Amino acid sequence: MRKKIVAGNWKMNLLLDEAEKLNASIDETLSKGNFRCDVYHFIPFIYLKEAIDNSKHVQIGAQNGHPEKNGAYTGEISIHQLAHMGTQAILIGHSERRQLFNETNDFLKAKVNTAIAEQLTVFFCCGESLEQRESEDYEQIVINQLKSALFHLPEEDFRKVIIAYEPIWAIGTGKTASPEQANAMHISIRAAIADAYGNSVAETTSILYGGSCKPSNAQELLTQSDIDGGLIGGASLKPEDFMSIISTYQ
């Protein structure tokens, strides 16, 4: 059975007291219930240490990291530094990193390699823009992102990777990805994994949905055949909304 996962991506939000309250609230609620999923918070660098030290039921991840161990990279934080302080996971390939910070597939590949070497769980994001979605090759575009940055890994290492599919074309555009459309892409991604690593690996790889999942659509999305959880943006900043989504797996 594939592991179910609900992960909150806080992005560049919250002040310290707000971050502490949010993380503590989710952690405490998880301690009181029987939830059939792993829960992660991907939080700003400046709040990582406090969250790592005080979380018992939420796994703490970073939103970004530099692949070099150290060096003259002013303003950057290395994956090695993150691992050393107890960070458990890292987001790699998020659409905002690709689009706003021009991160290439080669750079993402380097990040993946370093994160695996540092024994962090990699949440690798993939997805297509509106222009790409309207082309005939949108599925191949997404699969090529996986091939370029992930499929070089040996099977043992690939098994440590979680994939998150983001339909960029349906985020903030007024267009909507139906549960069926989302699931269809998950099926295509799983087929590509099967081609690269075999059915056994494909059937045990968790693939999350990262396209505006919220309490009102979580049940329909997260119960699709090949959707194994969600990478949650805005709804992860509200304890009640985030727990409502997590409760899909209660």
Side-chain angles (χ1 to χ4, degrees):
M1 179 176 291
R2 293 190 296 272
K3 185 178 293 185
K4 303 299 184 182
I5 298 168
V6 179
N9 177 16
W10 294 2
K11 305 190 179 186
M12 195 178 70
N13 291 297
L14 304 178
L15 300 178
L16 178 59
D17 60 334
E18 296 170 326
E20 290 175 341
K21 289 177 183 177
L22 175 56
N23 192 61
S25 174
I26 299 300
D27 201 66
E28 181 180 3
T29 305
L30 290 175
S31 72
K32 299 176 180 177
N34 182 24
F35 300 94
R36 298 175 292 103
C37 65
D38 290 347
V39 177
Y40 288 78
H41 280 158
F42 289 95
I43 69 180
F45 289 130
I46 54 176
Y47 307 145
L48 279 173
K49 188 66 168 66
E50 190 278 337
I52 290 167
D53 289 345
N54 292 284
S55 299
K56 295 181 179 179
H57 304 280
V58 178
Q59 299 184 61
I60 303 301
Q63 298 173 13
N64 187 33
H66 197 282
E68 292 296 329
K69 189 172 184 178
N70 48 52
Y73 300 97
T74 300
E76 289 296 302
I77 296 173
S78 75
I79 294 171
H80 178 68
Q81 290 172 317
L82 294 169
H84 190 263
M85 71 186 295
T87 307
Q88 296 164 294
I90 186 169
L91 284 181
I92 295 177
H94 192 280
S95 60
E96 290 160 7
R97 299 301 310 177
R98 294 175 188 266
Q99 293 179 325
L100 301 179
F101 299 96
N102 302 312
E103 294 193 354
T104 65
N105 286 326
D106 286 343
F107 190 51
L108 299 178
K109 181 178 180 179
K111 288 187 181 188
V112 167
N113 291 342
T114 300
I116 292 291
E118 294 287 352
Q119 300 183 40
L120 296 186
T121 299
V122 171
F123 281 64
F124 187 83
C125 303
C126 58
E128 79 280 23
S129 66
L130 179 60
E131 181 181 1
Q132 291 168 333
R133 179 73 185 189
E134 292 176 343
S135 75
E136 295 182 358
D137 300 326
Y138 67 89
E139 288 186 354
Q140 195 59 47
I141 287 168
V142 173
I143 291 167
N144 284 342
Q145 293 172 3
L146 304 179
K147 289 181 176 179
S148 297
L150 277 188
F151 284 0
H152 66 286
L153 293 172
E155 179 181 322
E156 179 183 0
D157 289 338
F158 183 83
R159 285 182 178 273
K160 303 170 186 175
V161 174
I162 310 299
I163 293 174
Y165 166 62
E166 307 175 277
I168 306 166
W169 56 274
I171 301 174
T173 63
K175 295 181 180 292
T176 303
S178 69
E180 293 75 21
Q181 285 176 310
N183 196 52
M185 182 60 84
H186 282 233
I187 291 171
S188 296
I189 291 170
R190 202 174 305 284
I193 296 170
D195 288 342
Y197 293 99
N199 288 329
S200 175
V201 175
E203 288 304 316
T204 54
T205 298
S206 296
I207 306 176
L208 314 185
Y209 178 69
S212 299
C213 182
K214 46 189 179 288
S216 61
N217 62 12
Q219 181 70 30
E220 192 173 8
L221 281 167
L222 301 188
T223 55
Q224 293 289 315
S225 66
D226 282 75
I227 297 179
D228 304 311
L231 178 61
I232 314 301
S236 71
L237 301 175
K238 302 175 182 178
E240 299 83 3
D241 287 356
F242 196 49
M243 284 308 309
S244 177
I245 296 170
I246 292 169
S247 297
T248 303
Y249 295 122
Q250 192 171 29

